[in-house]
Amino acid sequence: MKGRKQTAAVLLAVLLALCLTACGGSSGGSDSNGSASKNDMSPAGEPMAPEEAGWAEMGVDSAAAVSSALADAKIIYTADMELETREYDQAVAALDRLVEETGSYYESRSSYSYGTYRSADMTVRVPAERYLDFCGRTGELAHRTRMSEDTQNVGEAYYDVEARLATQRTKLERLQELLAKAESMEDIIALESALSETELQIEYLTGDLRRYDALIGFSTVTIHLQEVYKLSSEEEIPMSFGQRLGSSFAAGLRRGVDGAEDLLIAFARNWVAVLVWIAVIAAAIAVLRRRKANLPILRRRKKTAEAAEKTEDHRRP
């Protein structure tokens, strides 16, 4: 009897504990009317988003979580732009000053000359924190006709390489400890081979991290600078039919004037070749005219020769 009473008392205590747990769980959730619990309410009394509620339950501020996520991001910025200018030397000097002021450097740089006009291709490495400032100020140094940007977050790949590197370093330490304790030549050879392979992996992974750090720390901006006689126009998009028609006439007039100017410039650059071709064409025309003028005489001579030949044939017995 005494054992049964003890068993019943234990069962009763377990049932009471289960009831208390159930009551505590229901009081922490929604009430009978389906309203949000206190944990799902913002300090202002408004319901929070599910992810914000989850952060609040864990004691994490949403702004702090966003800041942490941005801090963990590993972003590579790249830009490609085309600039044109009528003052080439001044634009190049201004770009050099901008590169120096922003702590950037030229990764590559080349210049070209087409007749009287010049151009340059530059690849600039810009500190990531000065990337937006650099790109914005390039538009003030010359007329920017095109710009494309690309943003790539390599955080996942970066941390994966970092974790693999840590694993390989731990492996290297353990192999070194085993090598120090190894006694047989067979074990020593096997451990040295494993050490060499591990050191090679560490070298590869370290190189990958350095490459990522270089691309993340310094953004890549490619610039094509072109010297021009006239800057490209920036036309507003016409809305009405009259605006479209007037814009088309104006564009046609500009293209006609530009075409005439280009033709005259091309003639001025190649006037010697043009004179040579004119002389060749004039000589060819003169030869053709002379042959055309001599053609009736040749025909008459041919007819006279044929008539004389027939007369000679008749005179023969």
Side-chain angles (χ1 to χ4, degrees):
M1 289 293 293
K2 188 175 180 180
R4 290 180 180 178
K5 289 181 179 181
Q6 291 178 350
T7 303
V10 172
L11 291 175
L12 182 60
V14 171
L15 289 174
L16 287 173
L18 291 174
C19 290
L20 291 174
T21 304
C23 292
S26 61
S27 63
S30 303
D31 58 13
S32 59
N33 295 328
S35 60
S37 65
K38 293 182 179 180
N39 291 333
D40 294 337
M41 301 294 290
S42 65
E46 299 178 355
M48 292 189 294
E51 60 273 14
E52 293 179 349
W55 287 333
E57 290 177 0
M58 294 185 293
V60 178
D61 183 19
S62 60
V66 172
S67 300
S68 177
L70 292 176
D72 293 338
K74 300 291 184 180
I75 301 176
I76 299 175
Y77 297 99
T78 57
D80 182 28
M81 64 181 69
E82 293 182 359
L83 307 175
E84 59 182 19
T85 179
R86 298 176 60 183
E87 300 176 346
Y88 182 81
D89 294 328
Q90 290 84 339
V92 171
L95 279 172
D96 291 341
R97 288 193 299 271
L98 178 60
V99 169
E100 183 179 357
E101 291 173 2
T102 55
S104 310
Y105 67 91
Y106 287 107
E107 187 176 59
S108 64
R109 184 176 180 178
S110 56
S111 301
Y112 309 93
S113 178
Y114 303 96
T116 57
Y117 296 102
R118 296 162 291 177
S119 65
D121 290 326
M122 313 172 190
T123 301
V124 186
R125 301 301 303 277
V126 184
E129 63 274 11
R130 302 297 303 272
Y131 168 75
L132 294 177
D133 180 36
F134 183 90
C135 291
R137 291 173 63 181
T138 53
E140 302 173 0
L141 306 178
H143 178 58
R144 187 162 56 201
T145 59
R146 186 187 66 83
M147 178 176 175
S148 60
E149 297 181 273
D150 181 68
T151 304
Q152 183 182 7
N153 187 358
V154 294
E156 184 176 354
Y158 184 93
Y159 293 121
D160 177 65
V161 173
E162 199 173 43
R164 288 163 57 193
L165 180 59
T167 301
Q168 292 296 324
R169 286 173 175 169
T170 303
K171 179 181 177 182
L172 179 65
E173 293 177 358
R174 292 177 180 176
L175 288 173
Q176 289 173 344
E177 293 175 357
L178 291 174
L179 181 61
K181 299 177 181 179
E183 296 180 356
S184 64
M185 184 60 65
E186 184 177 351
D187 292 341
I188 292 174
I189 294 174
L191 289 171
E192 287 181 347
S193 177
L195 278 170
S196 299
E197 183 178 354
T198 304
E199 289 174 349
L200 186 61
Q201 291 297 322
I202 290 175
E203 184 178 350
Y204 286 153
L205 294 173
T206 303
D208 290 341
L209 280 183
R210 288 176 180 172
R211 181 173 59 86
Y212 277 131
D213 288 334
L215 293 174
I216 294 168
F218 282 82
S219 305
T220 304
V221 180
T222 304
I223 301 174
H224 176 73
L225 178 65
Q226 178 69 46
E227 184 181 19
V228 295
Y229 166 70
K230 183 182 296 185
L231 299 178
S232 301
S233 60
E234 295 180 351
E235 299 179 359
E236 296 182 357
I237 300 177
M239 302 301 294
S240 65
F241 174 77
Q243 290 176 339
R244 293 170 58 190
L245 187 62
S247 177
S248 299
F249 274 115
L253 179 61
R254 285 196 302 270
R255 290 174 183 173
V257 173
D258 292 342
E261 291 178 352
D262 293 339
L263 182 61
L264 290 175
I265 292 172
F267 176 78
R269 288 179 181 173
N270 304 284
W271 65 272
V272 176
V274 171
L275 290 179
V276 171
W277 278 107
I278 291 175
V280 171
I281 294 172
I285 293 174
V287 170
L288 291 175
R289 287 180 176 177
R290 186 175 298 175
R291 288 184 178 180
K292 187 175 181 181
N294 294 334
L295 187 60
I297 299 174
L298 294 174
R299 288 178 178 175
R300 286 196 298 269
R301 289 179 179 177
K302 185 176 180 181
K303 289 180 179 180
T304 303
E306 290 177 353
E309 186 177 354
K310 288 180 181 180
T311 305
E312 187 68 24
D313 290 339
H314 286 301
R315 289 179 179 177
R316 292 176 183 174

